[in-house]
């Protein structure tokens, strides 16, 4: 019994390491944007490298799911891959990292709302409504702290919200194929279709020079995003869920925006004001409320 507890303790440590890696992905992306890579380029290179790594691990085991499920996989790649990451990357280019991670933290709540509307997995109750009001209040506090002034800051927050919404749509579509295919197979499909959806956009944009891509800082940040955040963290996270359970592991996700903001302060020297802290607290409170309420039901 003591051995089992000790073993599980290490999986909690692994969960924290994954959250740190995912939290660091936002500052890493910002550094790549500062190196003049385009938002679409960052996603395409990151996703393509991760796909090749997963393909190698699975020994090039490629299968056709049938037209219905392949179509759903394309939609997953479009929403959870291309749209989510490109919109997120553009938002990071336009506004503060802290704003982006706070707004995107609302995506679990948006997923719950869409699931209640389209999958009938959860009734749209007053509990969800109350949680939504709290979380959206946090987003509003961050977005309109300077009033309704149209500019890069407001546009970046709107794009971050659209990124969170696209992830929620992806999560709902994903439920249509889960159970029929392995998690590894689904992830590979999402990565390759996401890459293919974003590739035409990237080709229409000015391409970053090979010299810039081969710079040590650029290469290390890109490999970190692809191999650590997209590939290794995925495997570790699924192992964590298997060992300590989905509910306990999901609690660590609440730390993601906090970790991102802390790393952003350290690496990018961003200043986080009281309003950002209040907005982050409200968003996390709303997300935690709906998670706990729906779990109890």
């Amino acid at each position: 019994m003591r051995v089992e507890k000790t073993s599980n303790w290490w999986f909690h440590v692994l969960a924290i390491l994954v959250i740190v890696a995912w939290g660091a992905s936002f500052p890493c992306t910002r550094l790549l944007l500062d190196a003049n890579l385009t938002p679409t380029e960052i996603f395409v290179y990151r996703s393509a490298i991760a796909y090749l790594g997963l393909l190698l691990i699975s020994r090039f085991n490629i299968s056709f799911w049938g037209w219905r499920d392949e179509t759903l996989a394309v939609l997953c790649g479009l929403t959870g891959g291309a749209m989510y990451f490109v919109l997120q990357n553009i938002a990071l280019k336009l506004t503060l990292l802290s704003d982006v991670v706070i707004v995107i933290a609302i995506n679990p709540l948006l997923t719950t709302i869409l699931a209640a509307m389209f999958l009938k997995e959860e009734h749209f109750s007053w509990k969800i409504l109350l949680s939504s009001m709290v979380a959206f209040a946090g987003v509003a506090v961050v977005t309109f702290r300077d009033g309704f002034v149209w500019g890069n800051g407001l546009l970046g927050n709107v794009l971050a919200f659209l990124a969170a919404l696209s992830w929620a749509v992806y999560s709902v579509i994903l439920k249509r194929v889960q159970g029929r295919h392995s998690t590894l197979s689904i992830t590979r499909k999402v990565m390759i279709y996401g890459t293919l959806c974003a590739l035409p956009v990237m080709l229409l944009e000015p391409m970053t020079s090979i010299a810039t891509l081969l710079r040590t800082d650029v290469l290390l940040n890109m490999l970190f995003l692809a191999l650590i955040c997209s590939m290794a963290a995925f495997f570790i996270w699924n192992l964590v869920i298997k060992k300590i359970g989905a509910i306990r592991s999901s609690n660590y996700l609440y730390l993601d925006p906090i970790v991102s903001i802390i790393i952003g302060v350290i690496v990018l020297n961003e200043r986080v004001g009281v309003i950002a802290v209040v907005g982050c607290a409200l968003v996390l409170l709303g997300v935690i409320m709906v998670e706990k309420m729906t779990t109890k039901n």
Side-chain angles (χ1 to χ4, degrees), residues 147-223:
F148 191 86
V149 180
W150 185 256
N152 286 348
L154 181 56
L155 177 58
N157 287 340
V158 170
L159 292 176
F161 179 82
L162 292 176
L165 182 60
S166 68
W167 183 268
V169 173
Y170 155 75
S171 300
V172 172
I173 299 173
L174 183 64
K175 290 182 181 293
R176 302 290 187 182
V177 295
Q178 283 179 327
R180 295 200 295 270
H181 308 282
S182 69
T183 306
L184 177 60
S185 178
I186 292 172
T187 304
R188 286 205 318 268
K189 295 278 187 182
V190 171
M191 287 183 179
I192 188 59
Y193 284 132
T195 301
L196 293 175
C197 287
L199 189 58
V201 178
M202 188 188 83
L203 295 177
L204 293 175
E205 298 174 341
M207 299 290 288
T208 302
S209 66
I210 299 297
T212 299
L213 293 176
L214 293 179
R215 271 172 38 188
T216 303
D217 58 332
V218 171
L219 194 58
L220 289 177
N221 277 293
M222 186 64 71
L223 291 176

Side-chain angles (χ1 to χ4, degrees), residues 26 79-89 91 99-114 136 139 156-172 283 287:
F26 288 91
T79 54
M83 291 180 65
Y84 173 71
F85 283 104
V86 173
L87 288 172
Q88 170 186 292
N89 293 349
D99 285 12
V100 175
V101 298
I102 290 170
V103 175
I104 284 182
I106 205 172
N107 67 51
L109 178 57
L110 294 176
T111 301
T112 300
I113 294 173
L114 292 185
F136 283 122
V139 173
N157 287 340
V158 170
L159 292 176
F161 179 82
L162 292 176
L165 182 60
S166 68
W167 183 268
V169 173
Y170 155 75
S171 300
V172 172
V283 169
V287 172

Side-chain angles (χ1 to χ4, degrees), residues 22 28 62 91 142 146 187 218-219 225 237 261:
W22 284 341
C28 281
I62 302 175
V142 173
D146 297 322
T187 304
V218 171
L219 194 58
L225 289 175
W237 188 252
I261 291 173

